[in-house]
């Protein structure tokens, strides 16, 4: 078995699509729009076949999630090397994103950094 995709509601659908295309080389399908419900979605595909569904609709609620809360808390992307972790972390910092930690080697042996992306979404960047 494998996870087919992960989905998340977002306020800024176009901005989030562009974020994942820019930093993680995601490929987007054409937007789906259900005029009856107002739902709009994109499926973003990544090189390894994993997919992320971004969704919005007029009635979504909520602000950015807390850093420490129950439930799905972060997305992790493997970028292939320590050098790429370092480069991407520097790029996020230069582009004004908050770096939560790293780059560093964790106690369980991962080389990673963690950032806060748009809408408070936490992302880990691993080698």
């Amino acid at each position: 078995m494998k996870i087919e995709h992960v989905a998340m509601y977002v306020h800024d659908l176009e901005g989030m699509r562009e974020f994942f295309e820019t930093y993680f080389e995601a490929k987007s399908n054409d937007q789906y729009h259900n005029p009856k419900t107002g739902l709009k979605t994109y499926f973003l595909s990544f090189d390894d076949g994993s997919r992320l569904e971004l969704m919005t609709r007029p009635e979504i609620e909520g602000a950015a999630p807390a850093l420490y809360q129950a439930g799905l808390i972060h997305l992790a992307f493997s970028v292939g090397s320590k050098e790429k972790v370092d480069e991407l972390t520097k790029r996020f910092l230069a582009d004004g994103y908050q770096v939560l930690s790293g780059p560093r080697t964790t106690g369980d042996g991962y080389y990673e950094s963690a950032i806060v992306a748009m809408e408070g979404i936490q992302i880990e960047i691993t080698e």
Side-chain angles (χ1 to χ4, degrees):
M1 280 192 229
K2 71 173 188 171
I3 295 174
E4 203 292 320
H5 72 273
V6 174
M8 68 174 69
Y9 275 117
V10 298
H11 294 281
D12 183 355
L13 184 63
E14 297 301 325
M16 289 300 291
R17 179 185 54 82
E18 291 173 12
F19 173 86
F20 286 105
E21 289 175 332
T22 299
Y23 294 102
F24 296 103
E25 301 173 3
K27 308 287 187 280
S28 179
N29 70 340
D30 292 334
Q31 184 187 90
Y32 167 76
H33 178 222
N34 182 330
K36 198 181 238 187
T37 65
L39 175 70
K40 294 179 182 179
T41 70
Y42 285 111
F43 271 97
L44 305 180
S45 299
F46 300 89
D47 287 341
D48 70 348
S50 60
R51 298 189 319 151
L52 175 64
E53 183 179 14
L54 301 176
M55 308 179 301
T56 196
R57 60 188 318 144
E59 66 271 23
I60 65 169
E61 297 179 11
L67 284 179
Y68 304 104
Q69 67 179 28
L72 184 63
I73 196 62
H74 69 257
L75 299 174
F77 289 88
S78 174
V79 296
S81 71
K82 289 181 179 181
E83 293 77 22
K84 288 184 181 178
V85 171
D86 294 345
E87 289 170 17
L88 194 51
T89 304
K90 287 178 187 172
R91 185 174 174 196
F92 277 120
L93 192 58
D95 289 349
Y97 290 96
Q98 179 185 1
V99 175
L100 295 173
S101 65
R104 66 190 179 98
T105 301
T106 64
D108 54 358
Y110 284 94
Y111 188 76
E112 68 179 31
S113 64
I115 64 127
V116 178
M118 296 176 59
E119 301 197 25
I121 296 167
Q122 294 181 49
I123 295 179
E124 285 185 359
I125 307 157
T126 68
E127 69 177 302

